[in-house]
Amino acid sequence: MLRSLLPALLFIAPTLAADPLVVPLWEKGAPGFEDKKDVKETRAKENKDTGEYCVTGVHNPYVTVHLPPREKSTGAAVVVVPGGGHRELWVKHEGENVAQWLSEQGIAAVVLRHRLAREKDSPYKIDVHAVQDGQRALRLVRSKAKEWNLDPARVGMMGFSAGGEVVGLVCRKADKGDPKATDPVDRESAVPNFQALVYPGPQGIRGETITKDNCPPLWALVGDEDGAMTWLVTHFQDAKKAGVSAELHVYAKVGHGFGYRPAKATGKPVESWPQRFVEFLGTEGMLKK
């Protein structure tokens, strides 16, 4: 019986997706909060239909790493930041689904679990700790460029909702790293080579002074029934006035929080947005092997 099953098992095994690599942003814990390194996050019950869930209580920020096969790699990488109002992180439809799809296109993607500033009794701040985590994720990816077969000059960020605020704030800070830092990761730049804002919140975006130095090439996506459209359209216009290469997609009869849900695909035009993003990367010269 075992002998008869063996060929089938050998056929099935290569198709099984490996779990993504989990890498903490700091080996000894987040600076100033090292004593929280071993505090476990809380994962909400998974939706049986979609597999979606959210996490809270992130005290030891980390990334899950989705790498394409080496022969398929384009050299580009994206730090994906899920949303959740800075109270929780919806890591499936605004994170892992997206990262898995990108890796299948030859684009490395890491999903960031950052510290949450609006949880009850949180000791964190959005413009300090969430931004620090976003910057560190970029630096970490660049520090792993050789190991992960990446080009450090083609590393960007994508943020959903509150995650878009993190991306916006990281761009505004434009921190190029400290070449004299003791930690070699901190020597790397935290300036994205491109950014993708998906129905972002206003922080770091609305009312900001935009220049080429603090606004890398921009890809933006929103539904016309989403309040985020107001500041995102203005942000796009400000980017263009500053001479930034930018692309904006506004989909009709679409609200907030659609993310990427291939298991629940209905054929609506907005569901093709990941392909539009990859086309943008190609236009910007980010997909050269």
Side-chain angles (χ1 to χ4, degrees):
M1 177 65 73
L2 180 59
R3 182 175 296 176
S4 65
L5 288 174
L6 188 57
L9 291 172
L10 290 174
F11 178 77
I12 292 170
T15 69
L16 298 177
D19 290 335
L21 179 68
V22 176
V23 182
L25 298 187
W26 291 274
E27 290 184 7
K28 297 180 180 179
F33 296 91
E34 289 86 355
D35 60 331
K36 295 182 178 292
K37 176 179 177 293
D38 297 320
V39 177
K40 302 299 182 183
E41 67 185 38
T42 300
R43 173 171 166 164
K45 188 176 181 180
E46 188 173 299
N47 184 300
K48 292 182 180 179
D49 294 330
T50 64
E52 293 172 15
Y53 61 93
C54 66
V55 299
T56 56
V58 177
H59 296 285
N60 188 24
Y62 65 97
V63 292
T64 56
V65 183
H66 299 256
L67 299 178
R70 195 170 186 86
E71 68 278 3
K72 196 175 181 179
S73 175
T74 63
V78 184
V79 175
V80 182
V81 191
H86 300 287
R87 291 177 294 274
E88 56 197 15
L89 293 171
W90 286 92
V91 296
K92 194 73 174 178
H93 74 292
E94 294 181 346
E96 303 296 337
N97 288 351
V98 179
Q100 181 61 41
W101 190 88
L102 288 172
S103 70
E104 291 168 0
Q105 316 311 309
I107 301 165
V110 305
V111 181
L112 174 63
R113 269 75 159 179
H114 64 81
R115 288 169 286 177
L116 298 165
R118 291 181 181 155
E119 284 186 298
K120 184 180 179 181
D121 300 324
S122 173
Y124 309 121
K125 295 181 179 180
I126 297 169
D127 60 351
V128 178
H129 305 100
V131 172
Q132 184 182 38
D133 295 348
Q135 292 175 316
R136 180 71 177 189
L138 282 169
R139 300 190 210 276
L140 177 66
V141 171
R142 289 193 168 108
S143 75
K144 297 285 189 179
K146 186 175 181 180
E147 179 182 344
W148 292 350
N149 194 32
L150 306 175
D151 181 348
R154 289 187 276 141
V155 180
M157 296 188 83
M158 172 184 288
F160 296 78
S161 194
E165 293 185 316
V166 175
V167 173
L169 288 165
V170 168
C171 290
R172 300 299 85 78
K173 285 185 179 292
D175 188 322
K176 296 182 180 180
D178 179 1
K180 297 180 181 179
T182 303
D183 183 345
V185 176
D186 284 337
R187 299 171 195 163
E188 301 288 345
S189 171
V191 179
N193 297 115
F194 56 86
Q195 58 175 315
L197 300 176
V198 185
Y199 46 80
Q203 193 166 354
I205 296 167
R206 183 170 59 190
E208 297 283 344
T209 299
I210 301 302
T211 69
K212 275 191 172 182
D213 291 333
N214 70 9
C215 187
L218 166 67
W219 187 86
L221 169 67
V222 71
D224 74 336
E225 296 179 354
D226 188 341
M229 184 182 72
T230 305
W231 51 79
L232 190 56
V233 170
T234 300
H235 184 59
F236 167 79
Q237 293 172 329
D238 290 343
K240 293 305 299 176
K241 289 175 184 176
V244 175
S245 180
E247 185 173 306
L248 171 65
H249 297 264
V250 181
Y251 284 86
K253 297 183 179 180
V254 173
H256 192 76
F258 49 84
Y260 180 54
R261 293 177 162 106
K264 287 286 186 178
T266 62
K268 292 181 179 179
V270 70
E271 293 170 352
S272 68
W273 72 259
Q275 187 60 45
R276 305 290 81 78
F277 171 62
V278 171
E279 290 164 359
F280 165 77
L281 293 184
T283 299
E284 295 296 330
M286 295 291 165
L287 301 182
K288 299 175 183 178
K289 293 188 177 181

